[in-house]
Every structure is written in structure tokens, then in C-alpha cells.
Amino acid sequence: MGGVHHRLWHYIMRLDLDQNQRAEIWKTKTDLMKNMIRKKADLRIAMLELGNLVHADKTDMKKVEAKVKQIENLRSSMLISGIEAMEAVKSKLTADQRKKLGNMMESPGRCMMMGDDMMSGGMTGGDMMGDGMMEEAPAED
């Protein structure tokens, strides 16, 4: 996952969550997924528009600079949205669950924000949310 490493969702699901936590985390995850789908589409459109600007007979550098700034703003927004979602999730966890999550994240070779998926394009090209965890909404009581 980009901004927020997708394995983090896997770790969260290993925390023995109660039904209420699962429902709240599911909502946070799906809201983030919808947000990322929109932002990825906007990013792809902006990249297409940048390509059109660059390939014009006469390149308008002011328009190119504006488009590049728009692209960077979209990427930053995606990263911030992922971090905000993870903070929202962590706020739903008990102190013990947060400690267990921290221990899982500190295992050798793991880094929440700079995992191998992010480094291979997770922010813009990879699946920010998923490794198959929590594919279904939690069961209601």
C-alpha cells in the first residue's frame, strides 16, 4: 500500500478486535479506499493532461509547472489521507492493541511508512489498501 503500508491492515486484523472495532475500522478502510480511488483517477487524468502539454508543438511552461504542482498536491493528499486513516484506526484500539501493533511494526525489516510496497510504487500504482484482508464487511450482531 502506498502511504500506509497495506500489510498494516493485516496486522490490525490480528489484534483480536471486538465487533464494534471491526465495524469502525471497516468504515475507515472503505472510506479511505473510495477516497484513494477518486484521487488515483484524478492523478491519472492530471498525468495525461501533463503529457498533452509536454507533447504540444510549443510547450507552455507555466501550464506545465501548474500541472506538475497539481500532481504533487494529489500525491501529497494521498499520503496524508492514508496517515489520517491510520491515526483514526489507532484511536479505536485499546492501549494493549496499540502496543501489540507497534511490536508487529517494529519487527526487523519492517517500516510502516516506507515498506517495500511503497517503494515499488504503492503510492501511485499499487493497491493502497489491500492484501485480501477484511474483504467483507464485519458481521452485524
Side-chain angles (χ1 to χ4, degrees):
M1 160 200 278
V4 178
H5 195 281
H6 79 270
R7 287 188 182 106
L8 192 55
W9 295 103
H10 174 73
Y11 296 149
I12 289 168
M13 295 290 74
R14 294 174 46 196
L15 293 176
D16 192 29
L17 304 170
D18 66 34
Q19 199 60 28
N20 188 44
Q21 287 175 309
R22 286 178 95 62
E24 289 176 354
I25 291 170
W26 172 258
K27 181 179 181 339
T28 298
K29 182 179 178 183
T30 56
D31 288 350
L32 178 63
M33 290 172 71
K34 290 188 283 187
N35 186 4
M36 288 300 152
I37 289 167
R38 289 181 190 105
K39 288 181 180 183
K40 283 181 183 182
D42 290 344
L43 181 62
R44 291 182 69 184
I45 291 167
M47 293 294 290
L48 178 65
E49 292 170 346
L50 177 62
N52 289 339
L53 290 170
V54 170
H55 289 95
D57 288 337
K58 184 173 180 184
T59 301
D60 183 336
M61 287 307 295
K62 288 191 187 287
K63 287 183 180 179
V64 168
E65 288 174 22
K67 191 58 63 177
V68 168
K69 287 178 183 177
Q70 177 190 8
I71 290 166
E72 289 309 309
N73 285 338
L74 285 166
R75 288 180 176 159
S76 296
S77 178
M78 291 170 70
L79 181 59
I80 290 168
S81 293
I83 293 167
E84 288 172 342
M86 289 317 306
E87 288 303 307
V89 167
K90 289 190 310 189
S91 75
K92 309 288 186 232
L93 302 177
T94 65
D96 186 50
Q97 289 169 328
R98 283 191 302 274
K99 182 178 179 183
K100 286 179 184 177
L101 180 61
N103 290 340
M104 286 186 258
M105 295 307 301
E106 290 176 2
S107 65
R110 300 270 183 229
C111 176
M112 180 169 72
M113 296 307 299
M114 297 304 289
D116 54 2
D117 287 31
M118 183 176 185
M119 298 306 288
S120 65
M123 262 311 285
T124 58
D127 178 3
M128 191 157 174
M129 297 314 302
D131 59 350
M133 295 308 297
M134 236 172 121
E135 289 295 325
E136 299 177 13
E140 295 190 21
D141 291 333

